[in-house]
Amino acid sequence: MDVSQMQGQLIDYTASLFREGFLDDQFTQLQQLQDESNPDFVFEVVSLFFEDSERLLNDLGRALTQQIVDFKKVDAHVHQLKGSSSSIGAQRVKNACVAFRNFCEEQNTEGCLRCLQQVKQEYFLVKNKLESLFRLEQQILAAGGSIPMVE
Amino acid sequence: MESCNCIEPQWPADELLMKYQYISDFFIALAYFSIPLELIYFVKKSALFPYRWVLVQFGAFIVLCGATHLINLWTFSTHSRTVEVVITTAKVLTAFVSCVTALMLVHIIPDLLSVKTRELFLKNKAAQLDREMGLIRTQEETGRHVRMLTHEIRSTLDRHTILKTTLIELGRTLALEECALWMPTRTGLELQLSYTLRHQNPVGFTVPIHLPVINQVFSSDRAVKIPPNSPVARLRHIAEKYMPGEVVAVRVPLLHLSNFQIYDWPELSTKRYALMVLMLPSDSARHWRGHELELVQVAVALSHAAILEESMRARDLLMEQNVALDLARREAETAIRARNDFLAVMNHEMRTPMHAIIALSSLLQETELKPEQRLMVETILKSSSLLATLINDVLDLSRLEDGSLELDLVTFNLHAVFKEVVQLIKPIASVKKLSVSISFALDLPEYAIGDEKRLMQTILNIVGNAVKFSKEGSISIAAGIAKSEPLLDARAPDFFPVPSDSHFYLRVQVKDSGLGINPQEIPKLFNKFAQNQSVANRNSDGSGLGLAICKRFVNLMEGHIWIESEGLGKGCTASFIVKLGIAGRSNEPDHRVVPLNRVQANFPGLKVLILDDNGVSRMVTKGLLMHLGCDVTVTSSTDECLRVVSPEYNVVFMDLGMHGTSGYEVAMRINERITKRHERPLIVALTGNTDRATKDNCFRVGMKGVLLKPISLEKMRSVLSELLERGTLRQS
């Protein structure tokens, strides 16, 4: 596959992620911050997000399976996750977190567990998508092309 | 025996003494006889002795004395009267001659002495004549040199050659060790070593112009002796201990060739001087003599005269040219005025009916119409809009042609221009199901200086063409910096985009997968009114002027535009390169003086502190600020923040949603810690919740603004600008 075909593929894929709501405008903002002094900015931020989120999800899992659930702590974790996901533009994850927080306020353990599942699902989906995106970008760069930006 | 009058010696008792006397007398006589012989011998040898008869006299006197002494020999014993008589005669004669000689000598000796004085006098006179001869010879030589110098110096009329030749000739004529020319620098505050006779590379030596020794030389119109250790005479390295011989400096008047006022051409227009320094060799005991100094002055005067002549000639030529140019300009102005008048009139005359047609057709469109009528009205509208565009294009093009169009240089966001073009073209592209993509090279600056409007017009035209002539597929726009290698376009082999400190060349390539162009048609594309005839353009609109106008714009921006296509059906690539200024350089006005409604592009050196406990959000904010050029420090806890904060920081971005701590408290502690108001960093809150209560709380604790997360690049930029301008984000 030659470079322009790969670029076309990347453009289509990115467009689809936006269309389907996985990513929002904030991700575009991140892409704009990438420049020659900071060539791997997006990758670094997203990697950090993956680390953070996985830790938070584990903590959440543990906290919700306690005998007595500390909703304050759970809320704090969800707040963190919401913050991270909105910072990188992971729209669906963020929306799931918002729903999660509502259940926390109501102190509804069942609801929270359901939400946690939802959040996990969304998280793994977006993680998958982003990893594919990065792979495509690496391929293009390896073939000597440059990353096009879709408007 | 008769008694003689001599004393009777006592024979036996004084025989020894007698014997000695005898011998002495004998020797005396001998000497007395030999002296005249010697005299005669030497006089005979010398031809010049004027007093011969004095010698004779003297000789006689000596001989007689000798004779007397000789005859004395006989008186020691008893002697006869004859001897007595002889002695007496001899003595008498001797006495006579001696007296005569003595008397003569009284006359002669002064004469002899005066001979000596005369001799001395003559010697002096001879020496003096010698000197005068030497002088005359030197003067004659000097005269010869001056003629040679004149000839050499006047053989060329180039200003620099004249001065250089003067230097060389003087060096040769006077056998100088070193000769140097110091010219004033452009600032007029220093003298720079421009040329030396023997030193090979006279670069970089400068000497301030207001040294006392230099002032002394400049204020006198003669050559002045200067001390050999003054800075203008020290041409060798300071490490070498070398003292040149005597040094002389003279001023060389320079003409201010920058001022050619025709009516104001005084002879005293030379206020600037160059300095010529002449050094004698140090090992010869030569000194600067009067005529040599005069020679130097003559040489300088000659060179000055030559330069004046050249300038006069140049002035005359310029005057003639001036007159001719003036005439040409006036003619051109008349022509332009005539054309502008024509255009203005035609413009107005054409636009008025146009306007009426368009306006009334639009109004008609609003009314109740039958389908065929509607179709007709729409066609009328479309045609009249086309015509209006055509009129505008023609006006533009004619202004472009005669060069009266000037570029409107502003600093603008390069990326934004492309995005806007895409925005404009998106509707049409999406209708045709074409995908449009842009890719920016990493080293493309975000801001540039140039004519934003016309650049956009050019890009829009090209992209529009790409869209127009593509039925399906995709359009890709690539923007980057042109490297300084020759273009691969055979039609412009001389075009080399060479970037400089203040300019760069933008290269834009628009590739489409559309109808393509027959390679033979390509050269005609940029001609006026040419259209691509090989394709049935039933739906083609436009005057065919678009590419011609683009080419004019690109040329105005000192660039080049070209189209490549592999053939019909194979798509085509349009590319252009234009020259843009680099924004953010030192020739930009000071950023602090930026007016209120102009947002700063970059904030170099702005020290910012971030406090946020969420790693991802912290990283994003840091990336944002670093992209804007700030010097960012991150902290993840209140303790860390309070430890790090100091008056060095200009802004603090604080996340309010931090777990466990109150951002308000931190703000208050920071303001307590730094007591001086003007040293405090501006604290801005970042939060996901910007309701009234939060805002009030923030401002109450002394924060300067509240921002909603997540924050975009543009928003952050305008926030920082406003903070720096007004010190607060609060709307008062």
Side-chain angles (χ1 to χ4, degrees):
Chain A
M1 213 188 315
D2 76 333
V3 177
S4 46
Q5 272 180 308
M6 283 198 277
Q7 283 175 330
Q9 224 186 15
L10 180 68
I11 294 169
D12 291 333
Y13 192 62
T14 318
S16 73
L17 290 181
F18 279 95
R19 246 195 333 265
E20 291 162 27
F22 284 107
L23 297 174
D24 67 14
D25 206 36
Q26 179 63 11
F27 190 73
T28 321
Q29 289 289 327
L30 286 190
Q31 284 182 321
Q32 283 185 349
L33 294 182
Q34 188 158 292
D35 57 22
E36 54 200 354
S37 60
N38 222 341
D40 295 317
F41 182 65
V42 180
F43 185 71
E44 286 172 1
V45 176
V46 172
S47 310
L48 187 59
F49 168 68
F50 290 161
E51 277 176 38
D52 258 5
S53 309
E54 275 166 42
R55 186 178 39 89
L56 283 168
L57 288 171
N58 283 337
D59 289 343
L60 275 170
R62 248 176 301 138
L64 282 174
T65 51
Q66 297 285 334
Q67 276 288 56
I68 306 175
V69 177
D70 184 353
F71 282 103
K72 270 214 164 49
K73 206 153 110 178
V74 171
D75 186 57
H77 288 318
V78 178
H79 178 75
Q80 283 277 328
L81 190 57
K82 173 170 161 257
S84 309
S85 52
S86 77
S87 291
I88 70 156
Q91 197 179 38
R92 280 156 88 148
V93 178
K94 183 188 76 173
N95 292 339
C97 287
V98 171
F100 200 144
R101 285 191 90 188
N102 290 334
F103 281 112
C104 278
E105 268 182 44
E106 294 169 15
Q107 306 216 345
N108 183 342
T109 317
E110 274 294 321
C112 286
L113 280 168
R114 265 203 313 274
C115 272
L116 178 59
Q117 281 306 103
Q118 185 90 11
V119 170
K120 270 192 178 165
Q121 198 179 348
E122 289 301 340
Y123 166 72
F124 282 113
L125 266 174
V126 84
K127 176 171 176 183
N128 212 331
K129 300 275 180 194
L130 284 171
E131 280 175 345
S132 312
L133 193 72
F134 287 133
R135 256 200 307 276
L136 259 176
E137 282 187 355
Q138 288 304 317
Q139 281 176 346
I140 293 177
L141 285 175
S146 70
I147 313 289
M149 284 220 294
V150 170
E151 295 304 307
Chain B
M1 182 157 31
E2 288 168 32
S3 60
C4 49
N5 292 333
C6 45
I7 301 168
E8 278 273 333
Q10 305 268 2
W11 262 109
D14 297 308
E15 199 165 313
L16 202 62
L17 280 173
M18 232 28 64
K19 275 226 170 90
Y20 276 131
Q21 277 193 358
Y22 199 83
I23 294 173
S24 317
D25 268 333
F26 176 68
F27 273 113
I28 289 172
L30 203 60
Y32 273 27
F33 283 137
S34 62
I35 286 176
L37 286 175
E38 284 171 13
L39 273 172
I40 291 171
Y41 175 69
F42 282 116
V43 165
K44 276 246 159 47
K45 279 280 175 187
S46 93
L48 292 176
F49 198 70
Y51 297 111
R52 281 200 185 192
W53 62 274
V54 173
L55 264 185
V56 169
Q57 228 177 346
F58 200 63
F61 161 66
I62 294 265
V63 163
L64 282 171
C65 277
T68 317
H69 276 281
L70 190 64
I71 295 174
N72 255 347
L73 289 176
W74 271 269
T75 56
F76 290 119
S77 50
T78 32
H79 45 274
S80 61
R81 193 173 166 93
T82 334
V83 175
E84 199 65 43
V85 169
V86 172
I87 279 199
T88 321
T89 329
K91 278 205 175 153
V92 165
L93 265 177
T94 312
F96 173 70
V97 174
S98 324
C99 289
V100 170
T101 311
L103 281 172
M104 283 289 119
L105 277 177
V106 170
H107 290 288
I108 289 178
I109 288 184
D111 260 355
L112 276 177
L113 284 176
S114 79
V115 162
K116 263 294 170 199
T117 8
R118 226 177 293 163
E119 188 193 311
L120 222 76
F121 175 69
L122 277 171
K123 251 199 244 176
N124 282 347
K125 245 304 188 276
Q128 196 180 352
L129 279 170
D130 238 340
R131 274 199 300 273
E132 276 176 22
M133 257 265 289
L135 260 170
I136 292 174
R137 215 178 300 161
T138 342
Q139 271 173 348
E140 194 207 288
E141 225 174 72
T142 311
R144 203 162 25 95
H145 280 140
V146 168
R147 278 194 293 283
M148 215 166 52
L149 259 177
T150 317
H151 175 73
E152 286 298 318
I153 290 176
R154 290 174 65 86
S155 67
T156 154
L157 284 181
D158 170 44
R159 179 161 72 124
H160 290 286
T161 322
I162 288 174
L163 285 174
K164 232 167 61 169
T165 315
T166 312
L167 217 70
I168 297 175
E169 292 303 318
L170 271 177
R172 219 151 34 112
T173 309
L174 300 173
L176 297 175
E177 166 78 36
E178 179 63 88
C179 195
L181 185 65
W182 298 76
M183 301 277 274
T185 57
R186 217 186 298 243
T187 61
L189 295 174
E190 290 185 322
L191 283 179
Q192 191 177 37
L193 188 58
S194 316
Y195 187 75
T196 61
L197 207 48
R198 313 221 190 271
H199 239 37
Q200 279 327 100
N201 289 331
V203 267
F205 278 44
T206 57
V207 157
I209 208 171
H210 291 297
L211 289 181
V213 63
I214 297 181
N215 280 339
Q216 186 193 6
V217 176
F218 279 179
S219 55
S220 139
D221 59 357
R222 316 187 73 80
V224 172
K225 279 211 184 83
I226 60 174
N229 59 356
S230 57
V232 287
R234 263 190 292 162
L235 292 180
R236 306 268 179 102
H237 265 308
I238 305 172
E240 288 183 38
K241 302 248 185 268
Y242 172 79
M243 282 292 269
E246 289 199 356
V247 182
V248 145
V250 66
R251 73 176 184 194
V252 179
L254 289 177
L255 268 185
H256 244 312
L257 287 178
S258 57
N259 189 1
F260 272 107
Q261 298 288 350
I262 297 181
Y263 307 110
D264 171 29
W265 193 260
E267 283 69 33
L268 320 140
S269 65
T270 65
K271 288 275 158 54
R272 300 192 330 154
Y273 297 110
L275 190 74
M276 202 181 304
V277 177
L278 310 149
M279 285 178 242
L280 287 177
S282 62
D283 44 2
S284 85
R286 273 176 61 188
H287 293 280
W288 280 100
R289 288 180 282 175
H291 77 273
E292 287 175 337
L293 293 177
E294 283 184 13
L295 190 62
V296 169
Q297 273 149 226
V298 164
V300 166
L302 273 172
S303 62
H304 186 213
I307 295 175
L308 263 176
E309 248 187 66
E310 179 213 354
S311 313
M312 287 285 186
R313 210 172 50 103
R315 180 193 80 146
D316 287 336
L317 272 172
L318 276 171
M319 262 167 68
E320 278 174 43
Q321 236 182 358
N322 229 10
V323 168
L325 279 172
D326 214 23
L327 187 63
R329 181 178 60 98
R330 265 178 288 147
E331 283 177 4
E333 270 177 13
T334 323
I336 290 181
R337 254 199 306 271
R339 191 217 51 189
N340 284 344
D341 286 342
F342 169 75
L343 276 178
V345 163
M346 288 311 293
N347 193 6
H348 181 257
E349 297 304 319
M350 288 200 279
R351 280 203 223 263
T352 320
M354 251 357 290
H355 184 72
I357 297 173
I358 294 178
L360 292 172
S361 319
S362 326
L363 279 176
L364 200 53
Q365 232 183 5
E366 304 289 316
T367 63
E368 287 271 339
L369 292 171
K370 284 196 281 203
E372 314 92 61
Q373 286 176 322
R374 190 162 286 277
L375 203 60
M376 285 189 245
V377 172
E378 274 176 8
T379 314
I380 295 175
L381 251 181
K382 219 162 114 191
S383 312
S384 36
S385 322
L386 257 176
L387 198 56
T389 318
L390 187 68
I391 293 173
N392 282 339
D393 278 354
V394 170
L395 215 72
D396 244 354
L397 192 64
S398 56
R399 273 201 303 154
L400 276 172
E401 298 243 82
D402 68 5
S404 61
L405 193 68
E406 278 179 5
L407 290 179
D408 207 357
L409 299 176
V410 293
T411 309
F412 62 95
N413 187 336
L414 204 53
H415 291 223
V417 167
F418 286 97
K419 289 188 190 145
E420 206 173 315
V421 167
V422 173
Q423 287 294 105
L424 288 171
I425 214 78
K426 237 197 316 200
I428 311 178
S430 59
V431 159
K432 280 184 152 184
K433 300 234 182 349
L434 299 166
S435 78
V436 181
S437 74
I438 316 182
S439 89
F440 294 112
L442 284 180
D443 55 358
L444 190 68
E446 206 175 331
Y447 281 80
I449 302 178
D451 191 330
E452 181 182 9
K453 208 161 61 88
R454 299 205 166 97
L455 182 65
M456 179 146 40
Q457 211 174 332
T458 310
I459 304 175
L460 190 57
N461 199 299
I462 295 183
V463 175
N465 277 347
V467 168
K468 200 185 341 174
F469 290 110
S470 303
K471 290 218 176 85
E472 60 193 354
S474 67
I475 311 236
S476 81
I477 310 173
I481 297 195
K483 305 289 177 244
S484 62
E485 71 224 353
L487 295 179
L488 300 170
D489 182 15
R491 272 179 294 280
D494 305 326
F495 184 73
F496 290 94
V498 178
S500 75
D501 263 350
S502 57
H503 290 99
F504 72 99
Y505 283 86
L506 169 72
R507 187 197 165 104
V508 176
Q509 208 173 39
V510 178
K511 232 192 275 236
D512 72 58
S513 53
L515 301 168
I517 304 175
N518 191 339
Q520 288 166 336
E521 301 274 322
I522 291 183
K524 299 195 218 145
L525 281 173
F526 292 103
N527 293 342
K528 286 187 282 185
F529 309 116
Q531 295 232 36
N532 199 346
Q533 297 298 332
S534 54
V535 181
N537 325 1
R538 251 166 291 134
N539 54 347
S540 80
D541 43 303
S543 52
L545 279 179
L547 278 179
I549 293 184
C550 283
K551 185 169 162 105
R552 296 293 190 276
F553 283 152
V554 166
N555 283 343
L556 259 183
M557 294 194 230
E558 298 178 54
H560 188 60
I561 181 170
W562 72 102
I563 293 188
E564 293 160 331
S565 171
E566 288 176 27
L568 291 171
K570 299 211 177 95
C572 112
T573 307
S575 324
F576 68 87
I577 298 186
V578 286
K579 186 177 181 188
L580 295 174
I582 300 180
R585 293 278 151 172
S586 57
N587 56 358
E588 288 274 290
D590 193 355
H591 278 151
R592 275 177 295 241
V593 191
V594 156
L596 194 61
N597 50 7
R598 191 176 158 118
V599 176
Q600 223 171 307
N602 225 12
F603 304 87
L606 190 71
K607 267 185 97 82
V608 182
L609 182 63
I610 298 181
L611 172 57
D612 189 338
D613 65 349
N614 183 320
V616 175
S617 139
R618 202 168 50 230
M619 196 176 193
V620 171
T621 316
K622 175 177 176 184
L624 200 56
L625 289 165
M626 277 180 65
H627 188 79
L628 292 171
C630 303
D631 176 4
V632 184
T633 314
V634 289
T635 57
S636 55
S637 72
T638 24
D639 289 336
E640 199 184 339
C641 176
L642 289 169
R643 243 201 334 266
V644 169
V645 80
S646 78
E648 270 183 5
Y649 288 99
N650 305 105
V651 186
V652 175
F653 283 100
M654 188 176 304
D655 184 279
L656 282 187
M658 278 188 296
H659 181 58
T661 43
S662 144
Y664 306 124
E665 212 185 290
V666 181
M668 282 199 293
R669 297 258 287 273
I670 292 180
N671 282 339
E672 272 168 33
R673 166 91 52 95
I674 304 176
T675 43
K676 297 208 188 107
R677 202 165 267 259
H678 63 270
E679 281 182 359
R680 286 187 192 145
L682 304 167
I683 307 181
V684 175
L686 291 173
T687 169
N689 178 6
T690 52
D691 62 12
R692 188 85 230 165
T694 320
K695 278 194 176 160
D696 284 343
N697 287 336
C698 287
F699 287 121
R700 200 146 19 99
V701 293
M703 296 202 204
K704 299 294 176 189
V706 183
L707 296 174
L708 184 59
K709 279 209 302 191
I711 184 167
S712 74
L713 186 62
E714 285 307 310
K715 178 87 179 133
M716 181 60 94
R717 188 179 275 133
S718 73
V719 158
L720 285 176
S721 282
E722 213 179 317
L723 275 177
L724 289 177
E725 285 271 353
R726 303 207 297 201
T728 177
L729 296 178
R730 212 169 177 171
Q731 258 74 48
S732 46

